[in-house]
């Protein structure tokens, strides 16, 4: 039995201080109290200081027969570069449900990358009086999960190049003897990962001495084609100069150079695996299935073939446990995984959602969030995450702002770090009206999946009542079950009570969730369904490299995987400059990559960056340590 939940009172200030000031002034419960109130047993916790903990996966076995709660996904219209307060709304809705309406609730969100935290965007813990705390921990290292992913990803990268190097220097016999060296008694043995490779090759022998010369060659020589390698190194920093690099320039590498590059850590397939896995055994299998390229015969080479999958699992064995935190009003939060929403599926972990849904029970709510606009994060939440989890969403909350709709209506360009043009702070009903089709299209897209929609109009101080009312009426006319103005940035959960009540009503209404496409569809057909139904494109154009990959992945049997479209979040189209609801465009597919371990293919739509760059004036200029108090300053 869980302890009775006690909300943490807010001390609202006017004007609203900075996010970090609010977070550092907040009353914060010991994480043991948060856990007890949520129904988590002491033996299921691993403490990381007094205010955060990991939750052991054994909890799922204890809770497995309990019914699930209601499942709510928070998404948004196509955003401005400033973001529209999706996480703030997610947290505010949770605070309203738990601290004001007495519902059992859990928030499940992603861990932010250090890249945006020190780049342009800043932190991602929510904002104002709707935040996850401790805010500094949330936005920085937390419990080290992203570092574990970096280490695992780069161990695999090192293994690839080391294997190519050693195979080029040794004949088959020397290579086999190096991989299976005799011990002091002259005995050889296969390691567990080697036995998996033998099984894949159809070699049923378990004693290295029993292999024929031909079998030894097949086992030992991977014969990786360097031009086929898709696995890149990662670092969790925006570092544009690492996008393309040449490796092997040292004298000991004997001229074996290769062009490669770095992605940001949250774009790693290992991050996507963490978000989509179901347990430790499943993660071990997924890590082993990761494809890094092909051999010279065109056959897929995996992390298991390289013998490194077991070591990757060891590096990830603690990262698989969700991180427990709290909101400013004391409601529980799981922070787990942080896949890049452009290049991966942009949702927090299935494991955290499963645990949370059991803990809240049939009358409770789990509020999770999808990255970027609904054409990206929500579509991937439904077609990828829900497909692997088997969990059925009850409600979509679509966040809209006056600011974003004015931009889509033809307003001046919005640039991070620069003041907004007067059109955004003065009443302008015509701009809002012209931008409404963007919101309407997102509502229609959500309804295609058979899920009830509630629009949350995230209100800023400069918004005018007539503008907010115009948005509400348009949302209702477009088929939303309700549309509610929220002030939770300024008022905390109290500013999202009407939204929470609307979500409760929507969750009680019948829904008929369905996927957009069956997995049996050919790759091109799946791409075209998404481009036509979600983006509104007239058609799709495939560059030669994409055509080659479609043929290769179909031949290798990867064509039954769901798709994770990698495209800009700033437009329904591939072109970030096309605002509103563009028409008359075709989607160019530049390339397709396979995340076989994670379980999806990701087509690259137009020019997509997997490593962001730093601006002229990054926000790290403001981040420092107050040496007198030991407090972090300047995060936002």
């Amino acid at each position: 039995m869980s302890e009775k939940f006690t909300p943490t009172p807010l001390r609202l200030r006017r004007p609203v201080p900075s996010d970090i000031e609010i977070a550092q002034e907040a009353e914060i419960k010991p994480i043991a109290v948060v856990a007890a109130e949520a129904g988590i047993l002491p033996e299921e916790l691993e403490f990381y200081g007094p205010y955060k903990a990991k939750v052991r996966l054994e909890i799922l076995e204890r809770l497995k027969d309990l019914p699930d709660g209601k499942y709510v996904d928070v998404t948004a219209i196509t955003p401005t570069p400033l973001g529209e307060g999706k996480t703030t709304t997610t947290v505010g809705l949770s605070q309203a449900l738990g601290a004001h309406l007495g519902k059992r609730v859990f928030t499940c969100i992603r861990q932010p990358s250090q890249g945006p935290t020190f780049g342009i965007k800043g932190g991602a813990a929510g904002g104002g009086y709707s935040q996850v705390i401790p805010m500094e921990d949330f936005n920085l290292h937390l419990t080290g999960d992203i570092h574990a992913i970096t280490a695992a990803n780069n161990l695999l990268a090192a293994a690839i190049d080391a294997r190519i190097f050693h195979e080029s220097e040794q004949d088959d016999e020397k290579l086999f003897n190096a991989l299976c060296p005799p011990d002091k008694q002259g005995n050889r043995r296969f390691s567990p990962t080697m036995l998996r490779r033998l099984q894949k090759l159809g070699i049923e022998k378990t004693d290295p001495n029993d292999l024929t010369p031909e079998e030894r060659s097949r086992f030992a020589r991977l014969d990786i084609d360097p031009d086929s390698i898709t696995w890149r190194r990662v670092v969790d920093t925006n570092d544009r100069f690492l996008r393309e690099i040449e490796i092997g320039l040292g004298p000991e590498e004997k001229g074996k150079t290769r062009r490669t590059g770095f992605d940001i850590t949250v774009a790693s397939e290992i991050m996507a695996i963490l978000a989509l896995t179901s347990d430790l055994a499943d993660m071990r299998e997924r890590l082993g299935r990761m494809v890094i390229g092909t051999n010279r015969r065109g056959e897929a080479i995996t992390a298991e073939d390289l013998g490194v999958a077991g070591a990757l699992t060891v590096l990830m064995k603690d990262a698989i446990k969700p991180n427990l935190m709290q909101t400013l009003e004391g409601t529980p939060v799981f922070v787990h995984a942080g896949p890049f929403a452009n290049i991966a599926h942009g949702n927090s972990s299935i494991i955290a959602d499963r645990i949370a849904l059991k803990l809240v029970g049939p009358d409770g709510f789990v509020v999770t969030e999808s990255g970027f606009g609904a054409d990206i994060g929500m579509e991937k939440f439904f077609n990828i995450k829900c497909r692997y989890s088997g969990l059925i969403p009850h409600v979509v909350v679509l966040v809209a702002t006056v600011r974003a709709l004015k931009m889509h209506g033809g307003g001046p360009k919005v640039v991070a770090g620069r003041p907004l043009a007067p059109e955004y702070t003065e009443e302008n009903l015509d701009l809002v009206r012209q931008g409404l089709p963007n919101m309407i299209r997102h509502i229609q897209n959500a309804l295609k999946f058979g899920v009830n929609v509630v629009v949350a109009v995230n209100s800023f101080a400069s918004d005018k009542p007539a503008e907010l009312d115009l948005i509400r009426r348009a949302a209702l006319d477009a088929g939303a079950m309700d549309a509610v103005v929220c002030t939770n940035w300024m008022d905390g959960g109290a500013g999202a009570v009407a939204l929470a009540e609307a979500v409760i009503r929507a969750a009680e209404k019948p829904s008929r969730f369905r996927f957009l496409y069956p997995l049996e569809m050919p790759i091109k057909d799946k791409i075209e369904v998404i481009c036509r139904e979600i983006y509104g494109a007239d058609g799709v154009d495939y560059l030669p490299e994409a055509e080659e990959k479609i043929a290769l992945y179909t031949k290798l049997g990867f064509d039954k995987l769901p798709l994770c479209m990698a495209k800009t979040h700033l437009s329904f189209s591939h072109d970030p400059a096309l605002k509103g609801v563009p028409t008359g465009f075709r989607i160019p597919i530049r390339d397709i990559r396979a995340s076989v371990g994670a379980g999806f293919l990701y087509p690259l739509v137009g020019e997509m960056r997997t490593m962001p760059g730093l601006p002229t004036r990054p926000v790290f200029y403001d981040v420092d340590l107050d040496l007198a108090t030991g407090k972090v300053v300047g995060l936002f």
Side-chain angles (χ1 to χ4, degrees), residues 102-162:
K103 296 291 186 182
R104 291 185 66 80
V105 67
F106 237 107
T107 313
C108 292
I109 54 179
R110 292 178 294 161
Q111 181 181 348
S113 164
Q114 178 182 299
T117 296
F118 291 124
I120 290 180
K121 186 172 182 288
Y129 288 101
S130 293
Q131 293 188 58
V132 177
I133 53 175
M135 180 259 219
E136 308 97 301
D137 294 16
F138 180 95
N139 284 311
L140 299 173
H141 307 285
L142 197 51
T143 57
D145 295 350
I146 292 181
H147 299 314
I149 291 161
T150 302
N153 184 102
N154 293 343
L155 177 61
L156 176 53
I160 294 166
D161 290 303

Side-chain angles (χ1 to χ4, degrees), residues 149-418:
I149 291 161
T150 302
N153 184 102
N154 293 343
L155 177 61
L156 176 53
I160 294 166
D161 290 303
R163 187 59 170 262
I164 293 171
F165 175 81
H166 289 301
E167 287 193 20
S168 70
E169 296 291 305
Q170 300 172 62
D171 61 26
D172 290 351
E173 192 62 22
K174 282 185 178 177
L175 193 60
F176 181 79
N177 289 336
L179 290 171
C180 300
D183 61 20
K184 291 180 180 178
Q185 285 74 44
N187 299 316
R188 301 175 187 265
R189 66 174 187 86
F190 289 121
S191 65
T193 187
M194 290 176 173
L195 292 171
R196 291 174 182 245
R197 171 158 170 77
L198 288 166
Q199 187 176 27
K200 172 183 171 179
L201 294 173
I203 299 172
E204 297 181 359
K205 300 169 182 176
T206 57
D207 184 342
N209 295 313
D210 292 342
L211 267 64
T212 65
E214 188 270 336
E215 289 171 335
R216 290 185 178 196
S217 176
R218 286 179 59 214
F219 164 77
R221 190 163 296 281
L222 300 183
D223 198 24
I224 298 168
D225 179 359
D227 292 336
S228 76
I229 296 170
T230 55
W231 196 264
R232 291 156 62 92
R233 287 158 174 83
V234 299
V235 63
D236 197 41
T237 303
N238 289 358
D239 194 345
R240 57 166 41 89
F241 283 92
L242 291 178
R243 287 172 181 161
E244 297 293 331
I245 63 170
E246 188 171 17
I247 60 173
L249 295 173
E252 293 185 8
E253 285 67 60
K254 302 179 181 178
K256 295 177 176 62
T257 60
R258 182 168 72 84
R259 297 271 299 188
T260 180
F262 276 74
D263 296 334
I264 196 159
T265 297
V266 285
S268 170
E269 183 178 353
I270 296 177
M271 175 63 89
I273 286 174
L274 178 65
L276 290 169
T277 195
S278 56
D279 54 39
L280 199 57
D282 178 61
M283 185 171 73
R284 172 67 180 79
E285 293 299 320
R286 287 175 178 269
L287 291 171
R289 287 201 301 268
M290 291 188 301
V291 172
I292 61 90
T294 61
N295 62 20
R296 296 182 192 278
R297 295 184 301 280
E299 299 162 337
I301 299 296
T302 66
E304 200 75 73
D305 292 324
L306 284 156
V308 74
L312 303 183
T313 309
V314 170
L315 286 171
M316 293 292 296
K317 69 180 178 60
D318 293 318
I320 197 174
K321 303 165 191 170
N323 304 291
L324 181 65
M325 299 185 77
Q326 64 191 288
T327 68
L328 284 169
E329 298 192 56
T331 60
V333 180
F334 276 140
V335 181
H336 200 213
F340 207 46
N342 278 5
I343 204 73
H345 66 295
N347 287 266
S348 59
S349 79
I350 288 173
I351 285 175
D353 289 1
R354 279 183 171 157
I355 296 171
L357 285 163
K358 297 297 183 187
L359 287 169
V360 301
D363 297 323
F365 289 80
V366 170
V367 182
T368 189
E369 175 194 344
S370 298
F372 292 136
D375 56 315
I376 296 184
M378 182 197 72
E379 184 269 313
K380 296 173 183 180
F381 175 78
F382 289 152
N383 281 319
I384 300 175
K385 184 176 179 181
C386 290
R387 209 184 284 271
Y388 283 121
S389 70
L391 300 172
I392 304 300
H394 294 82
V395 183
V396 162
V397 174
L398 183 74
V399 178
T401 62
V402 170
R403 176 178 71 195
L405 289 172
K406 285 181 175 179
M407 178 193 71
H408 289 297
K413 190 172 183 180
V414 177
V415 180
R418 294 184 195 168

